[in-house]
Amino acid sequence: MSRSSHPRGGAAGAAAAAMAEPGGWKGHVVRQLRLRDRRQRAGFVDLLEAYNKLLEKSNLLVQAQAMDLRTGLSPWSPWEPPSPVLDPTVVLQTTKIKYQRQIAELKDLSGVLAYHIIELNTILKAKETELEVQRTRLASLQGQVSELEGQHQQLRGQMKGLGRGNSAVKLEYDALRDCYRCRECELRREVERSQELTESLVRKKAKAAEYKNYQNERFKRAKHDELFRQLKKVTNETISIDIGPEVVKPAKGKGPSQDFTKLEDCEKPGKRPFSYRLKRGNSVSSRLESSYCYVPACVVACLPSFISDIQEAHLSEVNAVKFCPSSTMLATGGTDKLIKLWNVVGGRLESVRTLEGANGSITSIEFDPMGCQILAASYNKAVQLWKIEDCKSRETLTGHTDKVTAAKFRSTRYQAVTGSRDRTVKEWDLGKGACCRTIDVCSYCNDVVCWENIIVSGHHDKKIRFWDSRGPRCTEVIPVEGKVTSLHISQDQMHLLSCSRDNTLKVIDLKMNNVRQVFSADGFKCGSDWTKAIFSPDKSYILAGSSDGTLYVWSMENGKLVTSLPGLHGASVNAVAWSSSGQHVVSVDQGKKVVLWK
């Protein structure tokens, strides 16, 4: 069968060939369609050619038969030899029978061929239907291709735009990198200059301290010599002391003996006169060496039961609270970078003064043993020392590289210990304003306590570490189940209290260095990484604040919860303080409030 016998297939092939390009997926689709056309057409070509030939032969035979009947001649067959002349009727009958037989055979063959043609038409229709489906699919795919080409062009445009943007960003990045390098060089020079200035300042402070110590020593010597001369005069006199209401009078002289009597007014009077002579080598403290203030002794601590006063003390969260040793003054510190001093008068809090100058949020407050100075740690990587009388910052201790979380005085007011989130604990000489030792730890330090030569630090890695000031290494490590948030040592220095994020408080026996008691309660939850818990002054109770604003008090004797105080705190309690007299308790929270309990 030629291309003319299949006009639709030929037209489709021509259209596909015209639409296809030399390469790509379109060419592949056209080649596949052509191959399928050839395969389907090859099975029908031979059959149709044979059918056409048979039809032509049948037409020729019919035409020859008709011609023979008109002329009266017998048909001649090229494959049969010429026969002798016979009777025309017989010949005609014979030819008729022959042709009838051939016509019957051709009819049978025609029926078979017609059946084949029907089958082939059915197949052709199915193929045409499939071809229409393929054409529809091809049209859909062409639409998708067009859409994808549009998207491709759009993406190419976006890519070009992004490329231009990236080029601009790269140029800007190169400029910023060059600027960063310049700034880094400037920073390095400034750091070196800062180090030089710091070293120069330290040297100047050391010289000033030496000069001040020299002047103090001269003043002390002069004062000592003057006092010694006065005492030398007094020792040559006899003082009569009689038991009775009358005032003690010196035997001779007035001024020196009166001064000496004042020096001896704490002694109990004897029953008979005596002579007092100061031996050489003894000395009396000068005015420069201030004595400790009076600290009220707490025989029995009073359990807090009701709210005596409540104040909105700071502009934001209150982190620290501390009573002075005499229990008459209270200090609070918050994230507003202020330290406020309060007097407790008649069950009320009266604001006294405000210490300003901190450059960061206050995290810890500590009074010195005399109650004259305040040591405060802050988020600006520094610790500041204030003098309460003039509200001035006397010293700023710098050296930590991250937030300072705790600052405590040592056994004297001239030494301090600090802990920081830079994983160090530092010892400071407050007279020189310089760090005398740095202890490197592998975890954040949240709180420190110290006594004599021992320093204890609580850490983020759920461990409590003991350090000896006379040794370089850690002497003891006590693990707990949660991050340590606070430490507090009892007044007799026999027990240590720790608060941790596992919502428990633990009492550690400092003789055995092991956990003696564990305190917990339903509803108690440690609210932050700096929540503080304390002993009562007589070590009968343990006090801590919860995240829901409730205060919990436990008994040291039996380890049971004594009471819970759901005060007016609307936020998590950060810290608590118990006065040395045992009469007042103060709690501070994250909602700016300071609550006085009685």
Side-chain angles (χ1 to χ4, degrees):
M1 184 176 180
S2 62
R3 289 184 181 269
S4 60
S5 60
H6 294 277
R8 183 179 297 175
M19 183 182 63
E21 295 180 358
W25 63 273
K26 292 182 178 180
H28 176 71
V29 172
V30 170
R31 288 193 295 272
Q32 292 296 323
L33 291 173
R34 288 177 179 175
L35 179 60
R36 189 186 68 178
D37 186 37
R38 286 197 299 271
R39 289 177 179 173
Q40 292 178 355
R41 188 173 59 190
F44 298 97
V45 170
D46 297 337
L47 182 61
L48 293 176
E49 288 180 354
Y51 178 71
N52 290 332
K53 288 179 181 180
L54 289 174
L55 288 178
E56 292 175 358
K57 185 182 286 186
S58 177
N59 292 330
L60 290 174
L61 290 175
V62 171
Q63 291 176 5
Q65 184 179 7
M67 187 178 293
D68 291 340
L69 290 175
R70 286 193 302 269
T71 58
L73 298 175
S74 66
W76 174 80
S77 176
W79 56 79
E80 292 182 359
S83 59
V85 179
L86 298 175
D87 187 12
T89 305
V90 176
V91 172
L92 182 60
Q93 188 67 28
T94 303
T95 304
K96 182 178 179 181
I97 293 171
K98 180 178 179 181
Y99 282 120
Q100 286 178 351
R101 187 171 59 251
Q102 290 179 358
I103 289 171
E105 292 177 356
L106 290 175
K107 286 182 178 181
D108 294 337
L109 181 60
S110 177
V112 173
L113 292 176
Y115 178 74
H116 283 297
I117 288 172
I118 292 171
E119 290 182 349
L120 292 174
N121 285 332
T122 304
I123 295 172
L124 183 60
K125 288 180 181 179
K127 295 296 182 181
E128 287 177 351
T129 304
E130 184 178 359
L131 182 61
E132 289 296 331
V133 172
Q134 295 296 332
R135 286 175 179 172
T136 305
R137 184 182 176 190
L138 179 61
S140 175
L141 291 174
Q142 287 177 353
Q144 293 180 6
V145 168
S146 301
E147 183 179 355
L148 291 174
E149 285 179 350
Q151 294 179 2
H152 176 67
Q153 294 297 330
Q154 184 180 1
L155 291 175
R156 284 177 66 88
Q158 292 179 1
M159 185 182 69
K160 290 180 180 179
L162 290 175
R164 290 190 295 269
N166 288 337
S167 300
V169 170
K170 186 177 183 302
L171 293 175
E172 186 179 357
Y173 168 74
D174 294 337
L176 289 175
R177 184 176 59 184
D178 296 337
C179 181
Y180 169 75
R181 290 176 179 174
C182 296
R183 297 293 184 185
E184 190 177 14
C185 295
E186 293 178 2
L187 177 62
R188 191 180 298 110
R189 289 193 294 269
E190 291 296 330
V191 169
E192 293 174 356
R193 182 183 175 188
S194 175
Q195 291 178 353
E196 293 176 358
L197 291 176
T198 303
E199 293 175 358
S200 175
L201 180 62
V202 170
R203 288 194 296 269
K204 289 181 180 179
K205 282 189 175 182
K207 290 181 180 179
E210 291 177 359
Y211 180 72
K212 190 68 175 178
N213 292 335
Y214 173 71
Q215 287 185 337
N216 291 339
E217 188 66 26
R218 289 186 59 187
F219 181 77
K220 286 173 62 177
R221 287 180 181 177
K223 193 71 176 179
H224 177 269
D225 294 340
E226 179 68 21
L227 185 63
F228 182 76
R229 284 193 297 270
Q230 293 180 4
L231 291 176
K232 189 174 182 181
K233 293 179 182 180
V234 174
T235 53
N236 296 325
E237 300 176 357
T238 303
I239 301 174
S240 299
I241 301 176
D242 297 330
I243 300 176
E246 64 269 8
V247 181
V248 177
K249 298 182 179 179
K252 296 180 181 180
K254 293 182 179 181
S257 61
Q258 290 175 357
D259 295 338
F260 182 75
T261 304
K262 291 179 181 179
L263 292 174
E264 296 296 326
D265 60 358
C266 294
E267 296 291 336
K268 293 182 179 180
K271 295 183 179 180
R272 55 189 177 88
F274 66 94
S275 296
Y276 179 85
R277 186 177 298 274
L278 181 67
K279 294 183 179 179
R280 187 174 183 82
N282 294 343
S283 62
V284 179
S285 300
S286 65
R287 294 177 61 185
L288 294 176
E289 189 68 26
S290 302
S291 60
Y292 286 164
C293 63
Y294 171 73
V295 178
C298 175
V299 179
V300 178
C302 300
L303 274 175
S305 57
F306 63 92
I307 295 176
S308 178
D309 191 12
I310 182 168
Q311 298 282 343
E312 189 168 319
H314 291 262
L315 300 177
S316 56
E317 182 176 350
V318 188
N319 293 329
V321 60
K322 191 74 175 181
F323 275 102
C324 72
S326 62
S327 301
T328 58
M329 184 177 291
L330 177 73
T332 60
T335 56
D336 57 358
K337 306 178 184 179
L338 299 177
I339 297 176
K340 291 193 175 182
L341 302 179
W342 310 78
N343 278 340
V344 181
V345 180
R348 305 287 295 177
L349 291 174
E350 295 182 357
S351 179
V352 180
R353 57 179 66 92
T354 301
L355 306 181
E356 300 179 354
N359 295 323
S361 302
I362 304 299
T363 59
S364 173
I365 295 176
E366 181 79 3
F367 281 93
D368 71 342
M370 296 170 55
C372 300
Q373 299 179 120
I374 287 181
L375 189 67
S378 62
Y379 272 16
N380 66 333
K381 310 174 186 178
V383 179
Q384 287 185 275
L385 182 65
W386 274 276
K387 191 173 181 180
I388 297 177
E389 291 182 0
D390 52 10
C391 299
K392 293 183 179 179
S393 177
R394 295 187 56 189
E395 194 72 52
T396 300
L397 309 178
T398 59
H400 286 288
T401 59
D402 205 339
K403 303 173 184 177
V404 183
T405 55
K408 301 292 176 64
F409 282 100
R410 293 288 299 272
S411 56
T412 67
R413 60 192 180 100
Y414 300 108
Q415 294 177 324
V417 177
T418 60
S420 171
R421 291 180 67 87
D422 63 358
R423 298 182 176 86
T424 62
V425 176
K426 292 181 180 288
E427 298 182 50
W428 301 86
D429 186 343
L430 299 181
K432 297 180 179 179
C435 177
C436 55
R437 183 190 180 192
T438 299
I439 302 172
D440 293 320
V441 195
C442 59
S443 178
Y444 299 154
C445 178
N446 288 332
D447 201 3
V448 295
V449 293
C450 49
W451 71 95
E452 296 180 355
N453 296 316
I454 304 300
I455 300 173
V456 184
S457 55
H459 296 274
H460 200 71
D461 62 353
K462 307 177 184 180
K463 292 181 181 179
I464 300 173
R465 292 177 170 85
F466 291 74
W467 313 85
D468 194 331
S469 298
R470 300 163 294 183
R473 296 183 179 179
C474 179
T475 60
E476 187 76 26
V477 176
I478 298 178
V480 293
E481 287 75 17
K483 303 171 186 176
V484 181
T485 64
S486 73
L487 298 173
H488 188 247
I489 188 170
S490 61
Q491 288 191 357
D492 58 4
Q493 298 180 357
M494 300 293 291
H495 295 92
L496 178 70
L497 175 65
S498 72
C499 179
S500 54
R501 289 308 297 269
D502 61 345
N503 305 324
T504 61
L505 288 80
K506 299 176 179 63
V507 174
I508 298 173
D509 189 342
L510 295 178
K511 285 187 176 180
M512 305 301 295
N513 284 346
N514 59 2
V515 177
R516 174 185 172 186
Q517 288 174 292
V518 178
F519 298 87
S520 62
D522 294 337
F524 173 73
K525 186 176 181 181
C526 186
S528 62
D529 287 346
W530 51 89
T531 300
K532 300 296 187 289
I534 59 172
F535 285 110
S536 64
D538 60 352
K539 206 177 69 174
S540 299
Y541 305 104
I542 289 176
L543 175 64
S546 178
S547 61
D548 60 356
T550 304
L551 298 186
Y552 288 83
V553 183
W554 290 269
S555 172
M556 273 286 292
E557 183 179 357
N558 53 25
K560 295 181 179 180
L561 181 67
V562 178
T563 182
S564 60
L565 305 171
L568 298 179
H569 289 293
S572 175
V573 177
N574 282 337
V576 290
W578 208 317
S579 64
S580 301
S581 61
Q583 296 179 356
H584 298 97
V585 168
V586 174
S587 57
V588 297
D589 62 13
Q590 296 179 4
K592 314 176 187 178
K593 291 181 181 179
V594 178
V595 180
L596 178 65
W597 301 80
K598 194 171 181 180

